């Protein structure tokens, strides 16, 4: 017995709904990255998330940031891999700077690339604070070299 057109359409919509619920951000493992008292203003903490192959810089900026968490909404985290050719960026003077070809990214504005040659913003790690701990819950954007989100 072949399913009628209505049954096929219902199945397709159900599958689409399931795909929407399991978005890349929601599929990531919620992981503790640091305690709040480990984060000094202006000092980046290097972590890896969601796998050891994905370096991330977690930083307390000391000023509110788009998407920032914590009491002052100043804690953010980004992939450390430059979106140009994958060199690890450094946190210097409140900005992420790439030592290879000098792209710069603004951590207060979602990792926006404001100086090339990179064309893409740094992928942002979605954070939550619960108690005295900062958790990673997802990632917006693709880390350099990836064709699908690791988180
Ligand atoms: S790898 Fe970062 S600017 Fe080229």
């Amino acid at each position: 017995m072949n399913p009628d057109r209505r049954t096929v359409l219902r199945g397709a919509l159900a599958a689409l709904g399931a795909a929407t619920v399991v978005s890349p951000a929601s599929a990531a493992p919620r992981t503790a990255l640091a305690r709040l008292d480990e984060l000094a203003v202006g000092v980046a903490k290097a972590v890896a998330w969601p796998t050891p192959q994905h370096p991330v810089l977690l930083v307390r900026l000391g000023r509110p940031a788009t998407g920032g968490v914590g009491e002052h909404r100043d804690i953010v985290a980004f992939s450390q891999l430059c979106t140009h050719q994958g060199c690890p960026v450094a946190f210097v003077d409140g900005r992420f700077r790439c030592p290879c070809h000098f792209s710069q990214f603004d951590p207060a504005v979602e990792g926006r690339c404001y100086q090339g040659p990179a064309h893409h913003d740094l992928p942002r790690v979605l954070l939550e604070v619960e108690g005295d701990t900062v958790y990673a819950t997802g990632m917006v954007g693709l880390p350099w070299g990836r064709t699908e989100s690791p988180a």
Side-chain angles (χ1 to χ4, degrees), residues 82-87 89 98-103 105 116-118:
C82 178
T83 56
H84 179 227
Q85 293 182 357
C87 289
V89 299
C98 180
C100 291
H101 311 103
F102 311 111
S103 288
F105 306 86

Side-chain angles (χ1 to χ4, degrees), residues 3-21:
D4 63 15
R5 187 182 302 187
R6 185 171 296 178
T7 302
V8 170
L9 185 57
R10 271 196 204 122
L13 290 174
L16 182 61
T20 301
V21 170

Side-chain angles (χ1 to χ4, degrees), residues 33-127:
L33 296 184
R35 290 189 327 272
L36 289 171
D37 63 6
E38 294 179 277
L39 301 175
V41 171
V43 179
K45 177 178 174 61
V47 296
W49 188 84
T51 73
Q53 291 74 41
H54 293 93
V56 163
L57 291 179
L58 177 66
V59 62
R60 183 191 299 263
L61 296 173
R63 56 191 164 104
T66 306
V69 298
E71 181 182 357
H72 304 290
R73 307 197 64 76
D74 64 343
I75 300 170
V76 291
F78 295 89
S79 168
Q80 192 178 5
L81 301 180
C82 178
T83 56
H84 179 227
Q85 293 182 357
C87 289
V89 299
F91 185 70
V92 180
D93 296 333
R95 301 282 192 243
F96 291 115
R97 292 183 180 159
C98 180
C100 291
H101 311 103
F102 311 111
S103 288
Q104 298 194 59
F105 306 86
D106 189 343
V109 188
E110 299 186 315
R112 181 169 297 153
C113 177
Y114 65 93
Q115 178 174 306
H119 294 289
H120 301 286
D121 301 342
L122 285 178
R124 182 165 64 96
V125 177
L126 302 176
L127 302 174

